């Protein structure tokens, strides 16, 4: 038993929990429509009514257990509350009744949240069925053909049926998701996909499921869209163990109601699973982004190379055009050598003379060009004359110019001295050579 002091101290402290879980506050659970089916018939009577419901057992274990019959029952109620909040353990509430099992699905568990998942868009006619395998993605891809052959054997090795793999995706905990569909070909040559519900019902048979387990299939689910009525029913009714207020708030906070719908997350395992799936999807997205980035870089390099080649080919085309034109001119001169000027050539010469005369006319292009050139010279001349009045040089800039000119002057002086030294050396060499030549002649 519990010490008397502890029991007395907790008996007065039960009011600290409020009336929500107190003995007198049992009416606070009226929102759950709890009707106790076990009633006492009086002093010394027997309980002949049916066993209470699980929710009523949980409420009794949390608020008014009658296991010990004294103040220690209030401590036991607090312990049951702690177990219910945590979502694990057993709650004892009566001597003649078995304990109630507290799981994370009980409505009093605090470790619950609501997330969002994508609404499936595949139809039943698409025939997509998801197989969850307890194998790594690399192993599944390496044995994909064997998996298809095994599934074909499970389907009875029917020649009119063919198993196809829609996609393979890695999952956490070394699991792999394989999406398959079955195509049926008739004798007339037409083909159609087996409905997803039909294929799923076949795979869920006991003997078929045992064969799937042997090849590592842990679970099979259909991937079909929800009808508007099913989606409405799913959103209207809160899942078991989730407070309706939280469910309504989750529907209001839905970032994209057209593509997402709320799903409950109960316990740390579910939260960890969703976190691992999100990390896995993030890695896949990052891998895809890296592939796209590499493709873009490669395309940019190819584009730069192509632009450079186009410019090179343009220059080469222009050079070849000029060379061809020169060859044609020389060939035409050789071909027309010794012949008199023909009529078309005379017309061309007249046209060229006309154009030349128009260009040389005083009021035409050449005259105007000469006039513009003379005006430019006059402006330059007047600008040079009035440069002192119109322009001024900044003092710092003038200092820098002087410094630069000084350095230039010093450089020229050094160069002149070097040249003079070299000339003296050359004269000395010439003098030595002349003396050597004179001695040789003597």
């Amino acid at each position: 038993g519990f010490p008397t002091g502890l029991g007395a101290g907790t008996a007065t402290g039960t009011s600290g929990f409020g009336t929500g879980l107190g003995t007198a506050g049992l009416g606070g659970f009226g929102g759950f429509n709890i009707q106790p089916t076990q009633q006492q018939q009086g002093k010394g009577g027997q309980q002949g009514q049916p066993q209470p419901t699980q929710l009523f057992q949980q409420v009794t274990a949390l608020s008014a257990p009658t296991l010990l019959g004294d103040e220690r029952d209030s401590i036991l109620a607090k312990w049951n509350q702690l177990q219910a909040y945590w979502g694990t353990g057993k709650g004892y509430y009566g001597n003649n009744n078995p304990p109630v099992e507290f799981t994370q699905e009980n409505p009093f568990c605090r470790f619950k949240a609501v997330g969002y998942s994508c609404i499936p868009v595949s139809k039943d006619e698409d025939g997509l069925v998801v197989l969850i395998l307890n194998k790594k993605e690399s192993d599944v891809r390496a044995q994909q053909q064997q998996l298809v052959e095994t599934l074909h054997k499970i389907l009875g090795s029917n020649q009119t049926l063919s198993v196809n793999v829609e996609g393979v995706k890695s999952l956490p905990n070394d699991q792999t998701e394989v999406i398959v569909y079955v195509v049926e070909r008739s004798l007339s040559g037409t083909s159609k996909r087996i409905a997803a519900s039909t294929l799923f019902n076949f795979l869920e048979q006991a003997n078929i499921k045992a064969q799937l387990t042997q090849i590592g299939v842990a679970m099979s689910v259909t991937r079909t869209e929800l009808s508007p009525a099913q989606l409405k029913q799913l959103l209207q009714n809160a899942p078991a163990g989730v407070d309706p207020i939280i469910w309504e708030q989750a529907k209001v906070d839905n970032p994209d109601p057209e593509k997402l719908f709320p799903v409950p997350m109960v316990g740390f395992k579910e939260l960890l699973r969703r976190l691992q799936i999100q990390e896995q999807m993030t890695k896949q997205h990052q891998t895809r982004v890296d592939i796209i980035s590499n493709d873009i870089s490669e395309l940019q390099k190819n584009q730069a190379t192509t632009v450079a080649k186009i410019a090179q080919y343009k220059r080469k085309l222009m050079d070849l055009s000029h060379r061809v034109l020169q060859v044609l001119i020389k060939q035409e001169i050789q071909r027309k050598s010794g012949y008199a000027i023909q009529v078309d050539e005379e017309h061309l010469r007249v046209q060229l003379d006309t154009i030349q005369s128009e260009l040389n006319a005083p009021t035409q292009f050449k005259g105007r060009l000469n006039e513009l050139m003379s005006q430019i010279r006059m402006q330059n001349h007047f600008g040079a004359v009035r440069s002192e009045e119109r322009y001024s040089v900044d003092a710092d800039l003038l200092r820098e110019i002087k410094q630069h000119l000084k350095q230039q002057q010093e450089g020229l002086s050094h160069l002149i001295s070097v040249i003079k030294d070299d000339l003296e050396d050359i004269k000395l060499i010439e003098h030595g050579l002349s003396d050597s030549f004179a001695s040789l002649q003597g």
Side-chain angles (χ1 to χ4, degrees), residues 223-238:
R223 179 164 291 181
T224 56
E225 64 179 356
L226 299 174
S227 64
Q230 292 175 339
L231 186 60
K232 183 178 180 181
Q233 183 180 4
L234 177 65
L235 295 176
Q236 285 181 349
N237 302 322

Side-chain angles (χ1 to χ4, degrees), residues 44-318:
Q46 296 181 356
Q47 298 175 352
Q49 298 296 329
Q51 293 295 325
T53 61
Q54 184 179 5
L55 184 58
F56 179 73
Q57 293 175 353
Q58 294 176 352
V59 173
T60 305
L62 296 179
S63 58
T66 57
L67 184 65
L68 302 174
D70 53 16
E71 68 276 2
R72 291 174 294 180
D73 287 338
S74 61
I75 301 177
L76 182 61
K78 296 176 182 178
W79 173 248
N80 291 337
Q81 293 170 14
L82 182 61
Q83 293 184 100
Y85 294 163
W86 189 260
T88 183
K90 295 181 179 181
Y92 293 88
Y93 64 96
N95 292 322
N96 299 325
N97 296 321
V100 60
E101 188 77 21
F102 290 118
T103 62
Q104 293 181 344
E105 284 75 18
N106 78 84
F108 306 104
C109 180
R110 297 296 180 88
F111 300 102
K112 296 177 183 178
V114 178
Y116 299 94
S117 295
C118 294
I119 300 176
V121 295
S122 301
K123 299 181 180 179
D124 190 31
E125 294 79 8
D126 297 334
L128 299 180
V129 175
V130 179
L131 301 178
I132 308 298
L133 280 75
N134 292 325
K135 296 181 180 180
K136 296 182 179 180
E137 182 185 2
S138 58
D139 298 338
V140 173
R141 290 188 181 277
Q143 302 174 359
Q144 181 173 334
Q145 186 60 32
Q146 298 179 6
L147 177 63
V148 171
E149 294 176 357
T150 304
L151 292 176
H152 188 261
K153 291 180 180 178
I154 293 175
L155 294 175
S157 300
N158 193 340
Q159 299 299 327
T160 60
L161 300 178
S162 61
V163 181
N164 300 272
V165 177
E166 178 75 11
V168 179
K169 185 174 67 174
S170 176
L171 296 179
N173 301 324
D174 292 336
Q175 290 185 333
T176 305
E177 175 187 285
V178 181
I179 305 175
V180 298
Y181 64 92
V182 178
V183 177
E184 181 182 10
R185 291 180 175 82
S186 61
L187 298 177
S188 60
T190 60
S191 62
K192 66 174 183 178
R193 294 190 180 186
I194 302 297
S197 57
T198 304
L199 180 59
F200 175 74
N201 294 332
F202 177 79
L203 296 178
E204 285 297 310
Q205 296 179 10
N207 57 339
I208 303 299
K209 200 168 185 178
Q211 299 179 30
L212 292 176
T213 305
Q214 293 178 359
I215 62 175
V217 177
M219 182 176 58
S220 60
V221 294
T222 58
R223 179 164 291 181
T224 56
E225 64 179 356
L226 299 174
S227 64
Q230 292 175 339
L231 186 60
K232 183 178 180 181
Q233 183 180 4
L234 177 65
L235 295 176
Q236 285 181 349
N237 302 322
V242 178
D243 192 283
I245 298 177
I246 298 177
W247 186 251
E248 292 296 328
Q249 186 64 36
K251 291 191 293 184
V252 173
D253 296 338
N254 191 345
D256 193 352
E258 298 295 332
K259 297 181 179 180
L260 304 176
F261 67 97
V263 292
M265 294 186 297
V266 181
F268 291 105
K269 290 184 179 180
E270 180 65 20
L271 183 62
L272 178 61
R273 187 185 70 85
R274 290 183 67 91
L275 178 61
Q276 291 175 344
I277 292 176
Q278 289 182 1
E279 290 178 350
Q280 188 75 22
M281 188 60 65
T282 301
K283 290 180 181 179
Q284 294 179 0
H285 289 170
Q286 186 62 41
T287 303
R288 178 57 58 184
V289 169
D290 294 340
I291 293 174
I292 295 174
S293 178
N294 294 334
D295 293 342
I296 292 175
S297 301
E298 189 67 23
L299 290 175
Q300 289 177 348
K301 293 180 181 177
N302 295 338
Q303 182 187 11
T305 304
T306 304
V307 170
K309 287 184 178 180
I310 290 174
Q312 180 182 358
Y313 291 153
K314 285 183 177 179
R315 292 193 299 269
K316 189 175 181 180
L317 176 61
M318 186 175 296

